Amino acid sequence: MTMLVSSARVLVAPQAFKGSLSAAGVAEAIAAGLPAAVSAELLPVADGGEGTVDALLTALGGERRSTLVQDPLGRTVEARWGLLADGRVIVEMAAASGLPLLEPKKRDPRRASTYGTGQLIAAALDAGARDIVVGIGGSATNDGGAGALQALGVRLLDSSGKELPRVVIHLQRLTTIDWSGLHPGMREARLRVMCDVSNPLLGPTGATAVYGPQKGVNAAMQPRIEAALARWAEVVERGAGSRKSGVGSREPRLREVPGAGAAGGLGFGLLALGATLEPGAQLILDLIAFDQKLHSADLVITGEGRIDGQSLYGKSTIAVARRAKRAGVPVLAIVGSLGDGYEACYREGVDAIVPIATEPLSLEESQARAAELIREATARAFRIIALGSHYASRARRQ
């Protein structure tokens, strides 16, 4: 790097350090370690999971709002969502239907519902929003998004015309979908869903088989839940009911769309409402106009709790680095730790990686001291940058 530190303009675009700091908190800690003369713009990023609302509000400005909704087990919780300054809305399913809302012993995918996520979308529609971005990372549910649709006014009926309970197993009895009560705002709303997986709804690579076990799906439950979701998919895809915007007019086999199995099949349920599924990290960068901001940047600082070979698959850190590389802007990554395969990140646009620990630390201590360690790591990195700038300057004079 040959830039002069005293005149540097830096984009600070890290994701969260899970278990310790939000993306916004990491960005603030990095900024605190920068030399006083450096001009920094904080652009915390996320991929659709917990912290997405805060990251976008920090980057774009807006208003935090909250709504009382049902958690995965039907208990009342206060869930936050974001109204951006330009009128767009950001909703996190994790705030209403997320795994962190449940203690491990209370995880029960047979009962868990996305109803609360639908309530959040309804709250945004009630507030007048018509451009809604939904992050679907971190779900505790495996109901195919049926609960979310019920919260938006869709009725799921059995053969006698009775509405089904909000329990995934009961989808095996689904006969008809009544779209007539769908929230009127949905007919003119644009739903964009942050989705970084390509799993279909059903089968060996589907929602239940791949992600169900972390939510409590065991070998005994799996066939029944899979059969219920298959019935759900069948009725949705044949265009049951008389919804004007036309589930029946959509392409068939929504179950096979890449990402339909995301968040326990919530991807499928939102597709049935006409949503588009988009890579979460890429959508975030588009929303914050990251590419435009790169034009005047001398350096990008990103980071995550652990960087490794898996970071190449959907992580915001590498999404940031790839775009910066295309623009010719160097990238520094401040990270909690290094994992297997981290070297591959250098080929994707990361120029240097600085771990935050300088001595052996337990995970608990590292998480507790994260802000301090990130600040100090940034300061160390800029000493090296200053050294490189000084060396390059002398070399040019000789």
Side-chain angles (χ1 to χ4, degrees):
M1 300 180 192
T2 59
M3 65 180 184
L4 294 176
V5 173
S6 61
S7 60
R9 183 176 183 274
V10 176
L11 298 183
V12 181
Q15 64 183 63
F17 278 37
K18 289 186 178 179
S20 53
L21 287 176
S22 67
V26 175
E28 290 168 0
I30 289 172
L34 295 173
V38 169
S39 172
E41 182 173 1
L42 306 192
L43 295 171
V45 295
D47 56 12
E50 188 176 5
T52 297
V53 167
D54 285 342
L56 282 172
L57 286 173
T58 298
L60 298 175
E63 178 183 338
R64 285 177 179 81
R65 295 199 175 183
S66 62
T67 300
L68 293 178
V69 301
Q70 292 186 19
D71 80 354
L73 299 182
R75 303 169 299 187
T76 300
V77 294
E78 185 176 20
R80 294 193 305 174
W81 50 282
L83 176 60
L84 299 179
D86 61 7
R88 289 175 295 188
V89 159
I90 308 298
V91 169
E92 287 175 20
M93 86 158 298
S97 311
L99 208 56
L101 297 174
L102 303 180
E103 299 172 21
K105 64 182 180 181
K106 291 187 177 180
R107 293 174 185 174
D108 187 351
R110 296 166 299 182
R111 296 173 53 211
S113 171
T114 52
Y115 192 84
T117 298
Q119 289 178 301
L120 282 181
I121 296 172
L125 293 170
D126 290 342
R130 294 298 180 263
D131 189 346
I132 302 173
V133 178
V134 185
I136 61 173
S139 76
T141 56
N142 205 101
D143 72 346
L149 269 64
Q150 288 175 299
L152 287 163
V154 176
R155 298 176 69 226
L156 310 183
L157 308 175
D158 65 14
S159 59
S160 63
K162 292 182 179 178
E163 190 159 4
L164 297 178
R166 296 196 297 272
V167 178
V168 63
I169 298 300
H170 286 284
L171 291 175
Q172 288 180 292
R173 300 190 291 114
L174 180 64
T175 301
T176 304
I177 300 176
D178 178 5
W179 296 93
S180 63
L182 180 66
H183 193 297
M186 275 305 308
R187 302 188 187 281
E188 53 191 52
R190 178 189 186 194
L191 271 185
R192 287 179 288 172
V193 180
M194 297 182 189
C195 176
D196 285 306
V197 303
S198 58
N199 305 76
L201 178 65
L202 304 170
T205 60
T208 308
V210 176
Y211 302 109
Q214 71 190 34
K215 303 169 188 181
V217 174
N218 58 36
M221 295 178 199
Q222 184 171 334
R224 292 191 66 196
I225 293 177
E226 184 80 351
L229 291 181
R231 179 61 177 171
W232 168 233
E234 178 187 342
V235 179
V236 168
E237 287 171 350
R238 76 181 183 211
S242 57
R243 182 184 171 212
K244 281 187 180 180
S245 55
V247 169
S249 67
R250 294 182 56 82
E251 291 291 329
R253 307 291 288 183
L254 292 180
R255 70 184 78 180
E256 296 172 357
V257 173
L266 178 61
F268 173 85
L270 297 180
L271 280 169
L273 292 174
T276 58
L277 306 185
E278 305 178 37
Q282 302 296 343
L283 180 52
I284 288 277
L285 294 178
D286 288 342
L287 290 172
I288 64 177
F290 185 74
D291 290 350
Q292 292 91 313
K293 296 176 188 296
L294 280 171
H295 295 321
S296 57
D298 298 301
L299 174 69
V300 171
I301 304 180
T302 187
E304 61 183 280
R306 178 181 176 85
I307 195 168
D308 56 27
Q310 293 302 308
S311 298
L312 274 61
Y313 302 100
K315 290 287 191 74
S316 299
T317 304
I318 300 304
V320 164
R322 286 170 175 161
R323 292 198 182 198
K325 183 178 183 179
R326 289 199 298 267
V329 181
V331 176
L332 167 67
I334 305 292
V335 303
S337 63
L338 303 174
D340 291 343
Y342 78 88
E343 298 91 345
C345 298
Y346 293 130
R347 298 194 296 270
E348 302 301 322
V350 177
D351 293 285
I353 301 173
V354 178
I356 63 175
T358 57
E359 58 184 314
L361 294 175
S362 68
L363 176 61
E364 293 74 19
E365 185 177 0
S366 180
Q367 289 177 333
R369 296 175 55 197
E372 167 198 350
L373 295 172
I374 291 168
R375 183 182 69 248
E376 292 175 352
T378 304
R380 288 197 308 275
F382 264 76
R383 285 184 174 276
I384 296 171
I385 291 171
L387 174 64
S389 294
H390 181 67
Y391 173 82
S393 179
R394 286 182 60 85
R396 284 194 300 270
R397 293 198 299 268
Q398 292 177 356

